[in-house]
Amino acid sequence: MVRRRSLAFVGVAALVPLVASAVSAQAASGSLAVTTLGRHGAKVSTTVTVVAVPSGQTYSVTSGKRISLPAGRYLAMTDIWEHGTEGLGTDTIGARVVQVSGSTSVTLDARKGKAVKVSLDTPADVTGPPRISAQVCAATVSNLPSAFSSGGWNYQGSLYAIPNSSKLLQFGYLAQWSGNDSYVAVKNTTGIPAAPGGSFKRSNLATMRFSVRSGTQMARQNDTALQAMPRTHDCTTDLMTEVRDDSAPYSATVHVTPGTWQPRDDLIASNGEDVGGGFPKVRTLKAGQSFTQSFGRAAWSPMHYLPMIGDKSVTFIPDALIGDPDVGVNGADPTKETVVLSKGGTTVKKQTVTNWGAGDAEFSAGIHSVGWYDLTVDAHRYRPGITFPAGMLSSRVTLDWHFKADPDKAMVAPVFMTRFLPTGLNSHNQAAANGTTTVDVSAGRGSQGPDLKFTEVTAKSVRVWSSADGGRTWKAATVKHSGSTWQASVHNPASGVVALRSEVTDAAGDRSVETVYRAYAIG
């Protein structure tokens, strides 16, 4: 049997503890050996995490091996996992508070472990035991206890915790029941309780729905998950439950204990490589509340970066040019683009750049006089080593910004990015043939950093066009203004895909033209 991986979660803003495997002879004035015994009393080899209190200095050592340490107080934490004749074996999570002085030895004995028991008034379609992820954490060495932890996962009946009332410890767990819907409960305690676990009721849960569309992403396999993200970090922070790992499109519903949750999505390419995804906004839900998290809704487009003027140059960061608006900047796909700055029809600089595998790509061109400049960007999704799904949407985006610039005045160029949200599409991002699609259009701009002047600019006019032949010809859409957004009525062709183009102008004559090719499909 292949042992499943130990409990290890990737946090959105994880603090990485300083880990050492040994201490210099000069610094060491003591030593520690931790023996770990299984549930039948035999020695079991485990990896023990040793955390100094209060510094947080962290060491990793194999049980039974002696490690040299400075004298002081430590937490010794581990998951004692034992093979079973069937299933996943057993996990026993335990910790000891140890005062190291001279040669010190302690034992963590799984026979003292108490079963972690959780209960929920589950519906009839939930037939199996809950899957429980649990960990013990150092409570006082950091404001992120889960960064100093040891834990594992198993199914109820095979997961145990050794009670310890010390306030230097926290114990956190996440339990998941699976049926037609999933039910997830998290709980944190100071110390490891004498009777670890808890009882929960469906009527006290909140609901998170996942809607995953297909067509826009550069891989079809979507692994969606939820991570606990309490407002005050504790031992449940970043504990994760898988929602569904499947080919898009799909929907899934998870009922969760009230609190703050981080939805996430990982895209798995046909070669098995994780090629994308991201972390949308965290969501705080009260009992009875619900929220729908979407992934993959058309149309994907530029997310944040605008031209910047400063140091007698026009600079543009070619990043987040094709991204999921429901995820945000950090979930955008890598691209390769041609960027051109021109003035009065004369090219100032032309450069091909990519943010794939090259860190922070940047386009910068020197300017020497006040005048009207044009910055164009032609971006394509770019990810060597994988094959994009046939018919992938939002495969190309172009930008054409026209703005006035003064080489001696630093500022964000007074231009916009457009976001298109076609309404009424199905789960494949398809609209009805020969029908009319209402496209919500927003013109946005944001600060590019605290050190660069950013001025509010009001859009004077917004126009929208659509193309059914890949951009060879364009048809004007009827546009209505409502509040801070616009609605464009687009007449759909009988088949194929639709490209969308917008033009946003302000009172000073600045102009922003954006085109999303293959914005949505017809089906």
Side-chain angles (χ1 to χ4, degrees), residues 94-179:
R96 288 282 301 270
V97 180
V98 184
Q99 189 69 38
V100 172
S101 177
S103 180
T104 305
S105 299
V106 296
T107 298
L108 284 166
D109 189 343
R111 292 173 295 181
K112 297 181 179 180
K114 303 297 182 181
V116 181
K117 295 181 179 180
V118 293
S119 65
L120 176 73
D121 55 337
T122 54
D125 56 273
V126 176
T127 58
R131 180 190 188 277
I132 307 172
S133 300
Q135 59 186 6
V136 60
C137 303
T140 62
V141 302
S142 164
N143 61 4
L144 185 57
S146 60
F148 302 83
S149 63
S150 182
W153 68 267
N154 215 312
Y155 291 93
Q156 180 158 284
S158 298
L159 181 69
Y160 302 83
I162 302 171
N164 189 320
S165 61
S166 174
K167 294 182 179 180
L168 297 176
L169 301 172
Q170 287 185 7
F171 179 71
Y173 69 81
L174 180 151
Q176 179 179 12
W177 294 262
S178 298

Side-chain angles (χ1 to χ4, degrees), residues 3-9 46-47 49 77-82 88-94 116 130-137 146 149-156 158-161 171-176 192 235 238-240:
R3 168 61 170 160
R4 75 283 190 281
R5 62 184 180 181
S6 62
L7 183 64
F9 302 109
T46 66
T47 298
T49 298
M77 307 181 292
T78 193
D79 169 23
I80 304 172
W81 176 73
E82 297 176 88
L88 296 172
T90 62
D91 288 82
T92 303
I93 297 165
V116 181
R131 180 190 188 277
I132 307 172
S133 300
Q135 59 186 6
V136 60
C137 303
S146 60
S149 63
S150 182
W153 68 267
N154 215 312
Y155 291 93
Q156 180 158 284
S158 298
L159 181 69
Y160 302 83
F171 179 71
Y173 69 81
L174 180 151
Q176 179 179 12
I192 304 175
C235 203
D238 287 338
L239 286 178
M240 184 169 69

Side-chain angles (χ1 to χ4, degrees), residues 27-297:
S29 56
S31 65
L32 175 65
V34 181
T35 299
T36 50
L37 303 179
R39 297 195 58 77
H40 299 288
K43 290 183 179 180
V44 176
S45 179
T46 66
T47 298
V48 181
T49 298
V50 180
V51 181
V53 178
S55 72
Q57 175 74 46
T58 301
Y59 309 85
S60 182
V61 62
T62 301
S63 60
K65 303 291 185 181
R66 186 163 293 277
I67 182 173
S68 296
L69 297 170
R73 188 161 56 170
Y74 294 85
L75 306 177
M77 307 181 292
T78 193
D79 169 23
I80 304 172
W81 176 73
E82 297 176 88
H83 290 277
T85 56
E86 59 183 28
L88 296 172
T90 62
D91 288 82
T92 303
I93 297 165
R96 288 282 301 270
V97 180
V98 184
Q99 189 69 38
V100 172
S101 177
S103 180
T104 305
S105 299
V106 296
T107 298
L108 284 166
D109 189 343
R111 292 173 295 181
K112 297 181 179 180
K114 303 297 182 181
V116 181
K117 295 181 179 180
V118 293
S119 65
L120 176 73
D121 55 337
T122 54
D125 56 273
V126 176
T127 58
R131 180 190 188 277
I132 307 172
S133 300
Q135 59 186 6
V136 60
C137 303
T140 62
V141 302
S142 164
N143 61 4
L144 185 57
S146 60
F148 302 83
S149 63
S150 182
W153 68 267
N154 215 312
Y155 291 93
Q156 180 158 284
S158 298
L159 181 69
Y160 302 83
I162 302 171
N164 189 320
S165 61
S166 174
K167 294 182 179 180
L168 297 176
L169 301 172
Q170 287 185 7
F171 179 71
Y173 69 81
L174 180 151
Q176 179 179 12
W177 294 262
S178 298
N180 295 333
D181 293 353
S182 292
Y183 303 84
V184 175
V186 292
K187 186 176 181 180
N188 184 78
T189 59
T190 298
I192 304 175
S199 179
F200 305 90
K201 291 186 177 296
R202 281 188 288 160
S203 59
N204 294 330
L205 301 180
T207 299
M208 179 80 78
R209 295 182 174 88
F210 285 73
S211 175
V212 182
R213 292 190 187 179
S214 68
T216 53
Q217 298 168 327
M218 60 181 180
R220 288 202 170 94
Q221 192 77 9
N222 283 252
D223 187 358
T224 49
L226 271 177
Q227 289 178 267
M229 195 60 59
R231 289 187 173 181
T232 300
H233 290 304
D234 59 31
C235 203
T236 66
T237 298
D238 287 338
L239 286 178
M240 184 169 69
T241 180
E242 184 175 84
V243 175
R244 186 169 172 179
D245 186 1
D246 207 347
S247 295
Y250 65 76
S251 59
T253 301
V254 187
H255 306 278
V256 297
T257 44
T260 303
W261 293 88
Q262 171 67 71
R264 62 179 291 175
D265 178 37
D266 289 280
L267 301 179
I268 312 301
S270 56
N271 63 357
E273 187 176 353
D274 190 330
V275 296
F279 299 88
K281 292 180 181 179
V282 297
R283 301 294 173 180
T284 300
L285 299 174
K286 297 179 180 178
Q289 285 188 321
S290 64
F291 177 78
T292 298
Q293 177 62 58
S294 296
F295 291 99
R297 288 195 299 174

Side-chain angles (χ1 to χ4, degrees), residues 379-522:
H380 300 252
R381 285 204 241 198
Y382 181 68
R383 185 61 163 77
I386 69 169
T387 301
F388 292 144
M392 183 178 67
L393 301 174
S394 296
S395 55
R396 177 190 177 197
V397 166
T398 62
L399 294 160
D400 186 347
W401 286 307
H402 179 71
F403 54 92
K404 193 172 186 179
D406 183 337
D408 295 320
K409 294 182 179 180
M411 63 182 295
V412 178
V415 292
F416 292 87
M417 291 179 302
T418 301
R419 294 190 182 173
F420 301 103
L421 181 60
T423 63
L425 304 185
N426 64 18
S427 61
H428 296 273
N429 282 306
Q430 296 171 328
N434 298 312
T436 299
T437 293
T438 298
V439 180
D440 291 337
V441 182
S442 60
R445 50 187 274 107
S447 171
Q448 305 295 296
D451 299 327
L452 194 62
K453 182 181 179 181
F454 177 78
T455 56
E456 296 293 334
V457 179
T458 300
K460 179 182 178 182
S461 71
V462 174
R463 296 197 293 170
V464 176
W465 296 264
S466 67
S467 174
D469 56 11
R472 289 188 294 274
T473 60
W474 294 90
K475 294 181 179 179
T478 301
V479 178
K480 295 181 180 179
H481 190 193
S482 176
S484 60
T485 63
W486 290 259
Q487 287 79 42
S489 297
V490 175
H491 297 289
N492 296 320
S495 61
V497 292
V498 175
L500 295 173
R501 173 173 288 173
S502 65
E503 181 190 74
V504 182
T505 58
D506 65 11
D510 303 288
R511 183 180 68 248
S512 307
V513 178
E514 177 178 315
T515 305
V516 178
Y517 292 88
R518 304 182 62 84
Y520 64 92
I522 304 298

Side-chain angles (χ1 to χ4, degrees), residues 360-385:
D360 295 328
E362 180 179 280
F363 172 90
S364 185
I367 58 174
H368 307 288
S369 60
V370 177
W372 288 91
Y373 290 84
D374 293 280
L375 184 71
T376 63
V377 182
D378 189 345
H380 300 252
R381 285 204 241 198
Y382 181 68
R383 185 61 163 77

